Amino acid sequence: MSKKETIYIIGGGIIGCTTAYYLTKHPKFDKTKTQIIILESNDIACAASGKAGGLLASWAFPTKLGELSFRLHQSLAIEYQGDINWDYRHLPTITLDADLTTGKDNNEVSYDMNLPPNLNWIDPKYVTNWTKLSEKDSTAQVHPYKFTKFILQKAMESHCITLIYGKVINININDETEHLQSFEYIPIMKTTHNKSLVSSSTPNEVNLTLEDKIILCTGPWVPKLLPQCPISGMKAHSITIESKDHMGGNCNIEPYALFNEIKLNDVDLYTPEIYARKHDIYVCGEGDNMTELPDPMKDVEVNPGECDKLYKYASMLSPIQIGQGQIIRRQACFLPVLNVATCSGPLIGETDINNLFMASGHSCWGINNSCATGKLISELVFDGEATSCNIDNLNPQLYFQVSC
Ligand SMILES: Cc1cc2nc3c(=O)[nH]c(=O)nc-3n(C[C@H](O)[C@H](O)[C@H](O)COP(=O)(O)OP(=O)(O)OC[C@H]3O[C@@H](n4cnc5c(N)ncnc54)[C@H](O)[C@@H]3O)c2cc1C
């Protein structure tokens, strides 16, 4: 019996999981001929994909990818009851400016900005300006951890996907033919507390046939395997809050996504984002690109001071629902950022090495852009070209060469 062609997806974040899902849904996918193996070094959605806010926007960048992916999220939500399974819902988004320098200790001060009446969980006291960025029809939200787990589960129902816990440590390319030759990974064992431990000090080597493919979906960790790739990680903290009005597991406040710019003093601005989600309130902070990316087997270290800062300023905007609420999670993760002046990323496509694909560098829109990324990769793999939208300018070969 001839060996099945194998597609190896490295990385079990939202991009690896949507890629697995759309590969199995492609009309040319034949499970008697092809199998898919996902290698994940820590846990499914353990990184940014499980810790993001989950905002979706039809205007997310890059434009064509963002728009297509927003529609695909909507279709999946209809097909699989996304409202129940991953908290999918539409919501308006507003930008809000606040100034803490005036009337800090003066209860009389109020700018009376006529906020939307149902945004009653924001105290207008410090608000100096606000604008509606988008109506309900063009922004929505998902719970990213629930979505990633669900879409992987759906993909696994095809019975042709194997999930292996292992950290890929190198990808070997034949110097003469410039074809993929093999890769090595360290097998990982999960403890009862779900920690990842190296289960064998000897790496496993997987030899590849000329038909086998690798799809690299390791987010900010891509350069650990392809050092020339101009992607890096930007650390960001976030907290989730059980609101004061939390009832029966529901957050119970009007859904809004808020992009805030808070003037702290004459020189400092602070720009947290606050999303009312179905079961919690999510607040995330600004990125920090000075912290080194940790080993992908390990959870990202949390700086409690950053989380307290998020809570402090979010509470000033929402003194009752957030201020009298309770922090449930303090977390940190890394955004995968493309360091190229002419492109915001992501990079989606085949590298200069035959059968070595990548889908990474999604920056702050990886949750939104995940579905289109998975679909386009499935087209590149089975049709040889991206047919759902033009992604020529996201071709990795324009930005770096693996072979040099
Ligand atoms: C605070 C914050 C808020 C955000 N909010 C939003 C939002 O509201 N909307 C939105 O669209 N986007 C948002 N994003 C962006 C989004 O989270 C990311 O773009 C997206 O999660 C990237 O997904 P990924 O699968 O590429 O990477 P990751 O989620 O980082 O997954 C990569 C996976 O690869 C694994 N891995 C790494 N190296 C190896 C290896 N050598 N071998 C095996 N496995 C490996 C890791 O363990 C990890 O599981 C936010 C990001 C942050 C940080």
PDB file of all heavy atoms in Angstrom, residues 143-164:
ATOM      1  N   HIS A 143     -15.630  34.300  21.186  1.00  0.00           N
ATOM      2  CA  HIS A 143     -14.699  33.971  22.261  1.00  0.00           C
ATOM      3  C   HIS A 143     -13.604  33.162  21.571  1.00  0.00           C
ATOM      4  O   HIS A 143     -13.843  32.022  21.144  1.00  0.00           O
ATOM      5  CB  HIS A 143     -15.400  33.155  23.346  1.00  0.00           C
ATOM      6  CG  HIS A 143     -14.554  32.998  24.556  1.00  0.00           C
ATOM      7  ND1 HIS A 143     -13.381  32.282  24.543  1.00  0.00           N
ATOM      8  CD2 HIS A 143     -14.665  33.505  25.809  1.00  0.00           C
ATOM      9  CE1 HIS A 143     -12.823  32.334  25.737  1.00  0.00           C
ATOM     10  NE2 HIS A 143     -13.578  33.082  26.515  1.00  0.00           N
ATOM     11  N   PRO A 144     -12.387  33.712  21.427  1.00  0.00           N
ATOM     12  CA  PRO A 144     -11.391  33.070  20.550  1.00  0.00           C
ATOM     13  C   PRO A 144     -10.969  31.676  20.993  1.00  0.00           C
ATOM     14  O   PRO A 144     -10.728  30.811  20.150  1.00  0.00           O
ATOM     15  CB  PRO A 144     -10.198  34.033  20.565  1.00  0.00           C
ATOM     16  CG  PRO A 144     -10.508  35.113  21.499  1.00  0.00           C
ATOM     17  CD  PRO A 144     -11.906  34.976  22.003  1.00  0.00           C
ATOM     18  N   TYR A 145     -10.882  31.472  22.322  1.00  0.00           N
ATOM     19  CA  TYR A 145     -10.480  30.141  22.800  1.00  0.00           C
ATOM     20  C   TYR A 145     -11.552  29.112  22.421  1.00  0.00           C
ATOM     21  O   TYR A 145     -11.255  28.053  21.868  1.00  0.00           O
ATOM     22  CB  TYR A 145     -10.264  30.182  24.319  1.00  0.00           C
ATOM     23  CG  TYR A 145      -9.835  28.864  24.898  1.00  0.00           C
ATOM     24  CD1 TYR A 145      -8.510  28.437  24.773  1.00  0.00           C
ATOM     25  CD2 TYR A 145     -10.736  28.036  25.557  1.00  0.00           C
ATOM     26  CE1 TYR A 145      -8.106  27.213  25.291  1.00  0.00           C
ATOM     27  CE2 TYR A 145     -10.341  26.811  26.076  1.00  0.00           C
ATOM     28  CZ  TYR A 145      -9.024  26.404  25.945  1.00  0.00           C
ATOM     29  OH  TYR A 145      -8.634  25.192  26.447  1.00  0.00           O
ATOM     30  N   LYS A 146     -12.824  29.478  22.688  1.00  0.00           N
ATOM     31  CA  LYS A 146     -13.914  28.536  22.367  1.00  0.00           C
ATOM     32  C   LYS A 146     -13.994  28.287  20.863  1.00  0.00           C
ATOM     33  O   LYS A 146     -14.221  27.170  20.422  1.00  0.00           O
ATOM     34  CB  LYS A 146     -15.261  29.101  22.860  1.00  0.00           C
ATOM     35  CG  LYS A 146     -15.399  29.173  24.355  1.00  0.00           C
ATOM     36  CD  LYS A 146     -16.777  29.700  24.724  1.00  0.00           C
ATOM     37  CE  LYS A 146     -16.879  30.013  26.205  1.00  0.00           C
ATOM     38  NZ  LYS A 146     -18.148  30.671  26.563  1.00  0.00           N
ATOM     39  N   PHE A 147     -13.795  29.351  20.075  1.00  0.00           N
ATOM     40  CA  PHE A 147     -13.876  29.195  18.616  1.00  0.00           C
ATOM     41  C   PHE A 147     -12.773  28.248  18.113  1.00  0.00           C
ATOM     42  O   PHE A 147     -13.018  27.333  17.311  1.00  0.00           O
ATOM     43  CB  PHE A 147     -13.771  30.555  17.915  1.00  0.00           C
ATOM     44  CG  PHE A 147     -13.688  30.436  16.419  1.00  0.00           C
ATOM     45  CD1 PHE A 147     -14.825  30.170  15.670  1.00  0.00           C
ATOM     46  CD2 PHE A 147     -12.469  30.534  15.755  1.00  0.00           C
ATOM     47  CE1 PHE A 147     -14.751  30.015  14.286  1.00  0.00           C
ATOM     48  CE2 PHE A 147     -12.386  30.380  14.376  1.00  0.00           C
ATOM     49  CZ  PHE A 147     -13.527  30.123  13.646  1.00  0.00           C
ATOM     50  N   THR A 148     -11.550  28.479  18.593  1.00  0.00           N
ATOM     51  CA  THR A 148     -10.409  27.672  18.113  1.00  0.00           C
ATOM     52  C   THR A 148     -10.617  26.195  18.454  1.00  0.00           C
ATOM     53  O   THR A 148     -10.426  25.307  17.609  1.00  0.00           O
ATOM     54  CB  THR A 148      -9.086  28.192  18.725  1.00  0.00           C
ATOM     55  OG1 THR A 148      -8.989  29.593  18.444  1.00  0.00           O
ATOM     56  CG2 THR A 148      -7.884  27.488  18.151  1.00  0.00           C
ATOM     57  N   LYS A 149     -11.033  25.936  19.699  1.00  0.00           N
ATOM     58  CA  LYS A 149     -11.263  24.542  20.112  1.00  0.00           C
ATOM     59  C   LYS A 149     -12.398  23.920  19.288  1.00  0.00           C
ATOM     60  O   LYS A 149     -12.319  22.766  18.886  1.00  0.00           O
ATOM     61  CB  LYS A 149     -11.638  24.487  21.603  1.00  0.00           C
ATOM     62  CG  LYS A 149     -10.562  24.963  22.538  1.00  0.00           C
ATOM     63  CD  LYS A 149      -9.468  23.977  22.770  1.00  0.00           C
ATOM     64  CE  LYS A 149      -9.823  22.956  23.808  1.00  0.00           C
ATOM     65  NZ  LYS A 149      -8.635  22.173  24.221  1.00  0.00           N
ATOM     66  N   PHE A 150     -13.445  24.708  19.035  1.00  0.00           N
ATOM     67  CA  PHE A 150     -14.595  24.161  18.316  1.00  0.00           C
ATOM     68  C   PHE A 150     -14.220  23.815  16.876  1.00  0.00           C
ATOM     69  O   PHE A 150     -14.570  22.748  16.363  1.00  0.00           O
ATOM     70  CB  PHE A 150     -15.759  25.170  18.327  1.00  0.00           C
ATOM     71  CG  PHE A 150     -17.007  24.617  17.712  1.00  0.00           C
ATOM     72  CD1 PHE A 150     -17.973  23.993  18.497  1.00  0.00           C
ATOM     73  CD2 PHE A 150     -17.226  24.671  16.335  1.00  0.00           C
ATOM     74  CE1 PHE A 150     -19.122  23.443  17.933  1.00  0.00           C
ATOM     75  CE2 PHE A 150     -18.361  24.124  15.753  1.00  0.00           C
ATOM     76  CZ  PHE A 150     -19.319  23.511  16.552  1.00  0.00           C
ATOM     77  N   ILE A 151     -13.499  24.720  16.226  1.00  0.00           N
ATOM     78  CA  ILE A 151     -13.206  24.504  14.803  1.00  0.00           C
ATOM     79  C   ILE A 151     -12.233  23.327  14.638  1.00  0.00           C
ATOM     80  O   ILE A 151     -12.310  22.566  13.670  1.00  0.00           O
ATOM     81  CB  ILE A 151     -12.716  25.827  14.136  1.00  0.00           C
ATOM     82  CG1 ILE A 151     -13.181  25.910  12.695  1.00  0.00           C
ATOM     83  CG2 ILE A 151     -11.238  26.065  14.235  1.00  0.00           C
ATOM     84  CD1 ILE A 151     -14.624  26.056  12.480  1.00  0.00           C
ATOM     85  N   LEU A 152     -11.348  23.153  15.631  1.00  0.00           N
ATOM     86  CA  LEU A 152     -10.457  21.990  15.583  1.00  0.00           C
ATOM     87  C   LEU A 152     -11.276  20.703  15.766  1.00  0.00           C
ATOM     88  O   LEU A 152     -11.078  19.718  15.049  1.00  0.00           O
ATOM     89  CB  LEU A 152      -9.368  22.091  16.658  1.00  0.00           C
ATOM     90  CG  LEU A 152      -8.443  20.869  16.713  1.00  0.00           C
ATOM     91  CD1 LEU A 152      -7.660  20.696  15.411  1.00  0.00           C
ATOM     92  CD2 LEU A 152      -7.481  20.938  17.884  1.00  0.00           C
ATOM     93  N   GLN A 153     -12.203  20.752  16.704  1.00  0.00           N
ATOM     94  CA  GLN A 153     -13.054  19.571  16.929  1.00  0.00           C
ATOM     95  C   GLN A 153     -13.817  19.210  15.654  1.00  0.00           C
ATOM     96  O   GLN A 153     -13.896  18.045  15.266  1.00  0.00           O
ATOM     97  CB  GLN A 153     -14.023  19.895  18.063  1.00  0.00           C
ATOM     98  CG  GLN A 153     -14.983  18.782  18.421  1.00  0.00           C
ATOM     99  CD  GLN A 153     -16.223  19.348  19.128  1.00  0.00           C
ATOM    100  OE1 GLN A 153     -16.124  20.268  19.946  1.00  0.00           O
ATOM    101  NE2 GLN A 153     -17.385  18.835  18.782  1.00  0.00           N
ATOM    102  N   LYS A 154     -14.336  20.216  14.954  1.00  0.00           N
ATOM    103  CA  LYS A 154     -15.060  19.959  13.689  1.00  0.00           C
ATOM    104  C   LYS A 154     -14.114  19.347  12.659  1.00  0.00           C
ATOM    105  O   LYS A 154     -14.474  18.439  11.914  1.00  0.00           O
ATOM    106  CB  LYS A 154     -15.638  21.264  13.122  1.00  0.00           C
ATOM    107  CG  LYS A 154     -16.950  21.660  13.725  1.00  0.00           C
ATOM    108  CD  LYS A 154     -18.080  20.755  13.234  1.00  0.00           C
ATOM    109  CE  LYS A 154     -19.118  20.590  14.327  1.00  0.00           C
ATOM    110  NZ  LYS A 154     -19.951  19.417  14.222  1.00  0.00           N
ATOM    111  N   ALA A 155     -12.890  19.884  12.593  1.00  0.00           N
ATOM    112  CA  ALA A 155     -11.913  19.345  11.631  1.00  0.00           C
ATOM    113  C   ALA A 155     -11.596  17.896  11.973  1.00  0.00           C
ATOM    114  O   ALA A 155     -11.488  17.039  11.093  1.00  0.00           O
ATOM    115  CB  ALA A 155     -10.643  20.197  11.664  1.00  0.00           C
ATOM    116  N   MET A 156     -11.501  17.614  13.279  1.00  0.00           N
ATOM    117  CA  MET A 156     -11.118  16.252  13.689  1.00  0.00           C
ATOM    118  C   MET A 156     -12.230  15.246  13.418  1.00  0.00           C
ATOM    119  O   MET A 156     -11.968  14.047  13.323  1.00  0.00           O
ATOM    120  CB  MET A 156     -10.687  16.243  15.150  1.00  0.00           C
ATOM    121  CG  MET A 156      -9.455  17.111  15.290  1.00  0.00           C
ATOM    122  SD  MET A 156      -8.290  16.841  16.609  1.00  0.00           S
ATOM    123  CE  MET A 156      -7.649  15.280  16.484  1.00  0.00           C
ATOM    124  N   GLU A 157     -13.447  15.747  13.269  1.00  0.00           N
ATOM    125  CA  GLU A 157     -14.553  14.839  12.935  1.00  0.00           C
ATOM    126  C   GLU A 157     -14.368  14.208  11.548  1.00  0.00           C
ATOM    127  O   GLU A 157     -15.063  13.265  11.189  1.00  0.00           O
ATOM    128  CB  GLU A 157     -15.894  15.585  13.012  1.00  0.00           C
ATOM    129  CG  GLU A 157     -16.337  15.776  14.465  1.00  0.00           C
ATOM    130  CD  GLU A 157     -17.554  16.670  14.617  1.00  0.00           C
ATOM    131  OE1 GLU A 157     -18.221  16.966  13.594  1.00  0.00           O
ATOM    132  OE2 GLU A 157     -17.826  17.091  15.760  1.00  0.00           O
ATOM    133  N   SER A 158     -13.442  14.743  10.759  1.00  0.00           N
ATOM    134  CA  SER A 158     -13.156  14.143   9.449  1.00  0.00           C
ATOM    135  C   SER A 158     -12.385  12.824   9.608  1.00  0.00           C
ATOM    136  O   SER A 158     -12.226  12.070   8.650  1.00  0.00           O
ATOM    137  CB  SER A 158     -12.331  15.107   8.599  1.00  0.00           C
ATOM    138  OG  SER A 158     -11.067  15.309   9.218  1.00  0.00           O
ATOM    139  N   HIS A 159     -11.892  12.561  10.814  1.00  0.00           N
ATOM    140  CA  HIS A 159     -11.126  11.340  11.126  1.00  0.00           C
ATOM    141  C   HIS A 159      -9.873  11.189  10.270  1.00  0.00           C
ATOM    142  O   HIS A 159      -9.450  10.079   9.976  1.00  0.00           O
ATOM    143  CB  HIS A 159     -12.001  10.080  10.988  1.00  0.00           C
ATOM    144  CG  HIS A 159     -13.176  10.111  11.909  1.00  0.00           C
ATOM    145  ND1 HIS A 159     -13.043  10.090  13.282  1.00  0.00           N
ATOM    146  CD2 HIS A 159     -14.495  10.209  11.655  1.00  0.00           C
ATOM    147  CE1 HIS A 159     -14.235  10.164  13.838  1.00  0.00           C
ATOM    148  NE2 HIS A 159     -15.146  10.241  12.869  1.00  0.00           N
ATOM    149  N   CYS A 160      -9.305  12.295   9.871  1.00  0.00           N
ATOM    150  CA  CYS A 160      -8.038  12.172   9.125  1.00  0.00           C
ATOM    151  C   CYS A 160      -7.002  13.131   9.705  1.00  0.00           C
ATOM    152  O   CYS A 160      -6.026  13.467   9.051  1.00  0.00           O
ATOM    153  CB  CYS A 160      -8.262  12.414   7.638  1.00  0.00           C
ATOM    154  SG  CYS A 160      -9.212  13.861   7.358  1.00  0.00           S
ATOM    155  N   ILE A 161      -7.258  13.587  10.935  1.00  0.00           N
ATOM    156  CA  ILE A 161      -6.311  14.509  11.578  1.00  0.00           C
ATOM    157  C   ILE A 161      -5.773  13.867  12.852  1.00  0.00           C
ATOM    158  O   ILE A 161      -6.535  13.312  13.645  1.00  0.00           O
ATOM    159  CB  ILE A 161      -7.000  15.840  11.939  1.00  0.00           C
ATOM    160  CG1 ILE A 161      -7.470  16.541  10.669  1.00  0.00           C
ATOM    161  CG2 ILE A 161      -6.057  16.753  12.740  1.00  0.00           C
ATOM    162  CD1 ILE A 161      -8.063  17.905  10.868  1.00  0.00           C
ATOM    163  N   THR A 162      -4.469  13.958  13.029  1.00  0.00           N
ATOM    164  CA  THR A 162      -3.839  13.501  14.267  1.00  0.00           C
ATOM    165  C   THR A 162      -3.198  14.705  14.932  1.00  0.00           C
ATOM    166  O   THR A 162      -2.530  15.500  14.261  1.00  0.00           O
ATOM    167  CB  THR A 162      -2.728  12.457  13.959  1.00  0.00           C
ATOM    168  OG1 THR A 162      -3.291  11.460  13.103  1.00  0.00           O
ATOM    169  CG2 THR A 162      -2.195  11.818  15.221  1.00  0.00           C
ATOM    170  N   LEU A 163      -3.416  14.842  16.228  1.00  0.00           N
ATOM    171  CA  LEU A 163      -2.778  15.927  16.986  1.00  0.00           C
ATOM    172  C   LEU A 163      -1.633  15.326  17.799  1.00  0.00           C
ATOM    173  O   LEU A 163      -1.845  14.400  18.582  1.00  0.00           O
ATOM    174  CB  LEU A 163      -3.817  16.579  17.911  1.00  0.00           C
ATOM    175  CG  LEU A 163      -3.290  17.587  18.932  1.00  0.00           C
ATOM    176  CD1 LEU A 163      -2.616  18.779  18.246  1.00  0.00           C
ATOM    177  CD2 LEU A 163      -4.427  18.088  19.822  1.00  0.00           C
ATOM    178  N   ILE A 164      -0.442  15.859  17.575  1.00  0.00           N
ATOM    179  CA  ILE A 164       0.731  15.377  18.321  1.00  0.00           C
ATOM    180  C   ILE A 164       1.254  16.530  19.158  1.00  0.00           C
ATOM    181  O   ILE A 164       1.443  17.636  18.645  1.00  0.00           O
ATOM    182  CB  ILE A 164       1.848  14.900  17.352  1.00  0.00           C
ATOM    183  CG1 ILE A 164       1.381  13.664  16.572  1.00  0.00           C
ATOM    184  CG2 ILE A 164       3.142  14.603  18.093  1.00  0.00           C
ATOM    185  CD1 ILE A 164       2.403  13.156  15.549  1.00  0.00           C
TER     186      ILE A 164
END
